[in-house]
Amino acid sequence: MQSASRLHKALKKGGATFGAWQMLPGANISKTLAITGVDWICVDTEHGNIDDAQMHEAVTAVASFGISPVVRIAANEAWMVKRALDSGAHGIIVPLLYTPEDARRLVSSAKFPPLGTRGFGSPFAPNTFIASTSPDGPHKPVALMDYLQQANGSLVTIVQIETAEALANVDAIAAIDGIDVLLIGPFDLGNNIGRPILAPELHPELKEAIAKIHAAAGRHGKGTGIYCTGLEQAKMYQEHGFHMISICNDVGALSGFFGNALQILKPSSGAAGGEVKY
């Protein structure tokens, strides 16, 4: 399974991975994002317009191109973790953690016994882990029982550090076995520490908070990720040694392109464009 997960392999190797954020439903959108060559695609069921059935279709579509599908669930709920992983997600992103106990509860939900409490039975989960039996042979998904035995060491568990409480507890959260990546949600983090992003330049306290999270992840051998809204930001965090970097979401890419085009073609139209820099 590990060899069939582009994200897992890249995180083990070190260095930066780049991802897209899917908020609109539709397998064709998933495929369009996947053919760009990103390393992973986040299927966003927290803030995106994607329901359970659409999540299943998106995960399968992304994986069919050899890209790792990652699902952001809406909350740290065991049944949401189960649905995401049972769809075949190579990893999960979990928002709004507060305490180390929240992180331990998440790990339990994401792991099969004896490491956790995840139930076994989805016939769909193995189908997104495609392994070749030989260089010239057929590509087949891992067997169901192989998935059961290998999933605990192959799936990527990503926690968002975006609350004041999680920031205060970041070292303890990063130290927990089974947490693989700390992903920074800068907008919610800024809101929750009283430094919302209201201008292109981040407030110094928000920059310090991001640096604190990155350092804590490094001390405990975990990866660091961040949600970006543009290339300039993504490049900066690559240079800072981050491991999971989003480039853009589908909604932003569509509205940004057309908005910027109209600013050029119809300067007086007042079309919104540009990007927030941090």
Side-chain angles (χ1 to χ4, degrees), residues 10 26 33 37 49 51 80 109 119 130 139 152 157 242 247 253 265 270-271:
L33 294 173
N49 182 28
D51 64 21
M80 294 183 186
S109 300
I130 309 298
H139 288 69
N152 283 354
T157 301
F242 281 59
I247 300 171
L265 297 170

Side-chain angles (χ1 to χ4, degrees), residues 44-232:
D44 191 354
T45 68
E46 182 191 17
H47 294 305
N49 182 28
I50 297 174
D51 64 21
D52 187 86
Q54 293 160 345
M55 173 192 72
H56 277 73
E57 292 171 357
V59 164
T60 301
V62 169
S64 70
F65 285 84
I67 308 302
S68 283
V70 179
V71 172
R72 177 159 75 166
I73 60 177
N76 186 15
E77 298 287 344
W79 72 269
M80 294 183 186
V81 173
K82 181 189 298 185
R83 293 301 294 164
L85 294 180
D86 280 2
S87 75
H90 290 188
I92 48 171
I93 297 174
V94 184
L96 296 174
L97 270 74
Y98 297 90
T99 67
E101 181 53 39
D102 289 340
R104 281 189 284 269
R105 182 161 52 88
L106 167 61
V107 171
S108 179
S109 300
K111 303 292 186 184
F112 290 124
L115 300 182
T117 57
R118 180 186 172 194
F120 173 67
S122 170
F124 311 114
N127 295 339
T128 64
F129 292 87
I130 309 298
S132 177
T133 55
S134 70
D136 300 317
H139 288 69
K140 297 180 179 179
V142 299
L144 186 61
M145 296 312 295
D146 288 337
Y147 180 91
L148 172 63
Q149 296 174 43
Q150 298 173 27
N152 283 354
S154 303
L155 302 176
V156 181
T157 301
I158 304 152
V159 296
Q160 287 194 237
I161 305 297
E162 55 183 354
T163 66
E165 294 87 346
L167 179 63
N169 291 311
V170 68
D171 265 293
I173 292 172
I176 293 171
D177 288 340
I179 298 297
D180 300 303
V181 178
L182 308 184
L183 189 142
I184 300 162
F187 290 96
D188 276 328
L189 180 61
N191 293 340
N192 283 315
I193 66 172
R195 300 301 183 189
I197 300 175
L198 301 175
E201 184 67 23
L202 290 190
H203 191 280
E205 289 183 21
L206 181 52
K207 290 182 178 180
E208 290 173 8
I210 292 171
K212 177 180 178 179
I213 296 165
H214 186 40
R219 281 192 294 272
H220 296 282
K222 307 300 173 69
T224 313
I226 191 162
Y227 179 86
C228 296
T229 58
L231 296 179
E232 192 174 313

Side-chain angles (χ1 to χ4, degrees), residues 1-7 9 66 68 90 128-131 142:
M1 277 180 64
Q2 291 184 4
S3 64
S5 170
R6 182 164 173 164
L7 177 60
K9 288 190 294 184
S68 283
H90 290 188
T128 64
F129 292 87
I130 309 298
V142 299

Side-chain angles (χ1 to χ4, degrees), residues 15-16 214 223-224 235-245:
H214 186 40
T224 313
K235 184 64 176 175
M236 179 181 71
Y237 287 112
Q238 178 190 21
E239 292 170 352
H240 289 174
F242 281 59
H243 305 94
M244 284 188 71
I245 302 167

